[in-house]
Amino acid sequence: KEARSRMAGDGEGAAAFAAAKAEWLDGSGGLPLLRWWRASGGGELLGRWDAVRAGAVAPALAAVSGACLAMSAMLLAEAVFMAAASLVRRRPERRYSAGPLGAQDGEDEERGLLGYPMVLVQIPMYNEREVYKLSIGAACGLSWPSDRVIVQVLDDSTDPTIKDLVELECKIWAKKGKNVKYEVRNNREGYKAGALKEGMLHAYVQQCDFLAVFDADFQPEPDFLMRTIPYLARNPQIALVQARWEFVNPNECLMTRIQKMTLDYHFKVEQEAGSSTFAFFGFNGTAGVWRISAIKEAGGWDDRTTVEDMDLAVRAGLKGWKFVYVGDVKVKSELPSNLKAYRRQQHRWTCGAANLFRKMGAEILLTKEVSLWWKLYLLYSFFLVRKVVAHVVPFVLYCVVIPFSVLIPEIKIPAWGVVYIPTAITVLYAVRNPSSIHFIPFWILFENVMSFHRTKATFIGLLELGSVNEWVVTEKLGSASNTKPVPQILERPRCRFWDRIEL
């Protein structure tokens, strides 16, 4: 304080400040507690810390800071590219033939498109007590000739009561004239991928041309097949038609609102940009229709990662198949409404994508069946930037580097890396969610919290650590409306503090 007053009163401030600092370091001044700390070796410890900080900590943190700033620039460039591609896109029906099927004209007869092709609808489920009726009923209600569609329910449930209920529901629809097949396995090997793979082995599947996949909580509209199958039937180069997800419970809590914002951006921007530019994007695992011959050519379903949908899409893309995203076709689904379920879902998605990058990076680079630009897009944009950098930077830069830079004065982080780039990315994100723009501050905070879990999952996948193949089915509550089901409490559970907190 004396040094500051002298600096303000005369021109000898620097000398006064140096004298005060020397007095503080040699222990002749300061508060009693500070004098005791210096006498007990605190000054020597501080000097050692200064040496370690200047010689090791500061250079290491500076290197991490530089890498994070470079990756932030990569994220901004990717966000600008995807925003531009999604805004100038051409509608799918303008790029591909998508006329209704039938024998109304001679063209249909020449191309062999008489009537409707055979479609297999697969519904994998596991102990889905709350939603099994919704999904089976929606699949059986599709507007498609009953003799040209097979609904295959792949039930891996371990609860005998639920298995009996699901089987009974299938029999009820079979009595109504629907071709419903109820299939079970003796084990859950491969989880969802294993169920889908085994479901393809049944003899009646051989008569089918196309495959529609719906998770247990997805409820397609009756015209879903009418609006998606024509792309596949009239365009032999297309392997996959992906529809957009819609949600039945976005207003259940703040966390579901934030999830809706994130997934809306994914479909409106990421999927649309991939479809419009390179005719490739990651299959979302549900609400999509595949050409069965493309699945077979790509090698079928594989359970080597927890993202069997993305794995199949990448392998089919390497064979030269094209994908189309139809954002006008929407399928209702349910968002996880508690943090534990959402965290596990994000771990599976993030870890699986990073692990697939590890397994297929060399194969993508060495393949000769696609162009160099397509390979660069897949390796750099699809995998590196979106599946690795996008998860690592928010945590490392904003939760580690910036806080530590406050304690280490040698680190200087430019304003463009701390303010301008994050602001630009947030603005690009917000303009595609105009109805939820007032939730952007909460989205930023929530995404920073989730960045730790995603970063951990990313490194688990890249390094292939212990929980790399961890698979926990996302809990579903059957929230077909905004009303929550009333739970039946048989015994009062032990109340914990963190159970009282709900986003």
Side-chain angles (χ1 to χ4, degrees):
K1 290 181 180 179
E2 182 182 355
R4 291 196 185 97
S5 64
R6 289 181 183 178
M7 291 173 67
D10 52 46
E12 300 179 354
F17 185 80
K21 181 178 179 182
E23 180 182 1
W24 188 86
L25 289 175
D26 65 15
S28 58
L31 297 175
L33 182 60
L34 292 177
R35 289 199 298 271
W36 170 83
W37 183 75
R38 287 191 296 270
S40 61
E44 181 181 357
L45 183 62
L46 182 61
R48 291 180 179 178
W49 160 246
D50 289 339
V52 172
R53 184 190 69 194
V57 177
L61 194 62
V64 175
S65 174
C68 288
L69 292 175
M71 290 189 289
S72 296
M74 293 164 58
L75 286 176
L76 177 60
E78 181 68 12
V80 172
F81 161 73
M82 289 192 299
S86 62
L87 285 174
V88 301
R89 58 111 179 179
R90 288 191 304 159
R91 299 180 67 85
E93 59 269 20
R94 295 181 180 178
R95 289 179 283 145
Y96 302 103
S97 176
L101 300 179
Q104 295 92 347
D105 50 58
E107 179 189 0
D108 281 357
E109 291 187 29
E110 293 175 4
R111 300 177 61 185
L113 296 177
L114 297 174
Y116 295 86
M118 283 292 298
V119 180
L120 175 68
V121 179
Q122 286 187 323
I123 308 176
M125 57 178 57
Y126 172 75
N127 292 338
E128 307 287 3
R129 179 189 293 271
E130 304 296 339
V131 295
Y132 73 93
K133 284 188 176 182
L134 298 175
S135 57
I136 297 175
C140 291
L142 290 170
S143 300
W144 201 259
S146 297
D147 61 336
R148 307 300 293 168
V149 61
I150 301 174
V151 177
Q152 186 185 65
V153 179
L154 305 171
D155 191 9
D156 277 358
S157 299
T158 55
D159 188 329
T161 303
I162 297 178
K163 293 183 74 171
D164 292 341
L165 292 173
V166 175
E167 185 177 11
L168 177 61
E169 185 70 13
C170 292
K171 290 180 178 179
I172 292 174
W173 282 104
K175 290 180 180 179
K176 295 180 181 180
K178 301 298 181 180
N179 191 356
V180 182
K181 305 292 186 181
Y182 177 72
E183 307 291 352
V184 296
R185 299 191 294 165
N186 296 326
N187 56 71
R188 290 191 65 217
E189 183 179 352
Y191 303 107
K192 179 181 175 181
L196 294 172
K197 185 175 182 178
E198 187 164 322
M200 298 290 290
L201 300 178
H202 295 280
Y204 55 81
V205 176
Q206 304 305 316
Q207 59 184 311
C208 298
D209 303 302
F210 305 113
L211 164 67
V213 182
F214 299 104
D215 283 350
D217 60 312
F218 278 71
Q219 308 164 49
E221 296 294 330
D223 63 350
F224 176 85
L225 295 179
M226 292 290 188
R227 300 177 66 183
T228 55
I229 294 293
Y231 288 98
L232 295 163
R234 297 190 177 277
N235 303 277
Q237 74 274 27
I238 295 178
L240 167 67
V241 177
Q242 174 69 59
R244 181 177 165 183
W245 294 4
E246 197 174 39
F247 311 105
V248 298
N249 62 333
N251 300 318
E252 186 167 343
C253 59
L254 179 59
M255 191 181 74
T256 54
R257 290 298 299 265
I258 293 173
Q259 289 180 67
K260 181 181 183 298
M261 293 167 61
T262 301
L263 288 171
D264 280 349
Y265 178 83
H266 168 70
F267 283 103
K268 290 180 181 179
V269 178
E270 294 180 348
Q271 300 295 76
E272 189 63 73
S275 177
S276 300
T277 53
F278 289 90
F280 173 82
F281 48 82
F283 175 44
N284 293 112
T286 178
V289 187
W290 277 92
R291 186 185 302 274
I292 291 181
S293 61
I295 295 178
K296 293 179 179 178
E297 184 180 348
W301 299 101
D302 198 321
D303 60 357
R304 58 180 172 174
T305 68
T306 56
V307 286
E308 75 293 326
D309 43 13
M310 187 184 298
D311 188 352
L312 178 60
V314 172
R315 286 184 281 114
L318 292 178
K319 295 294 184 180
W321 290 98
K322 297 183 180 299
F323 305 160
V324 59
Y325 166 69
V326 187
D328 293 337
V329 181
K330 302 176 182 180
V331 182
K332 296 178 182 179
S333 62
E334 181 181 334
L335 293 165
S337 55
N338 67 77
L339 185 59
K340 181 182 292 186
Y342 181 67
R343 262 202 345 254
R344 287 174 171 172
Q345 181 196 72
Q346 292 301 299
H347 174 87
R348 186 174 76 247
W349 290 357
T350 306
C351 178
N355 190 232
L356 183 63
F357 184 31
R358 169 194 173 103
K359 292 180 181 296
M360 294 204 66
E363 181 180 348
I364 295 170
L365 190 62
L366 297 176
T367 186
K368 298 180 180 179
E369 298 186 54
V370 294
S371 67
L372 176 62
W373 286 110
W374 196 92
K375 289 190 286 186
L376 290 176
Y377 167 76
L378 190 60
L379 288 171
Y380 172 80
S381 179
F382 183 79
F383 273 118
L384 180 62
V385 178
R386 298 186 212 171
K387 310 304 180 186
V388 178
V389 172
H391 300 317
V392 173
V393 168
F395 174 72
V396 177
L397 180 59
Y398 302 113
C399 301
V400 177
V401 174
I402 293 177
F404 271 96
S405 67
V406 177
L407 305 175
I408 302 176
E410 292 88 349
I411 303 301
K412 304 296 183 183
I413 303 178
W416 60 264
V418 181
V419 180
Y420 302 145
I421 286 183
T423 302
I425 294 175
T426 303
V427 169
L428 290 172
Y429 186 97
V431 295
R432 302 311 299 269
N433 288 276
S435 62
S436 301
I437 196 169
H438 54 294
F439 284 103
I440 286 293
F442 301 102
W443 173 79
I444 294 172
L445 294 174
F446 184 74
E447 289 298 305
N448 278 334
V449 171
M450 290 302 301
S451 66
F452 168 74
H453 300 285
R454 294 194 181 107
T455 300
K456 181 180 69 172
T458 299
F459 283 105
I460 289 175
L462 289 175
L463 302 177
E464 211 160 24
L465 301 178
S467 59
V468 64
N469 290 319
E470 180 182 76
W471 183 287
V472 179
V473 177
T474 304
E475 179 186 1
K476 305 172 187 68
L477 302 177
S479 303
S481 63
N482 291 330
T483 59
K484 295 184 179 180
V486 179
Q488 297 180 357
I489 302 178
L490 303 180
E491 181 180 355
R492 179 178 292 274
R494 183 169 63 91
C495 183
R496 298 173 296 185
F497 173 75
W498 50 85
D499 290 333
R500 298 174 180 266
I501 303 175
E502 180 178 358
L503 291 174

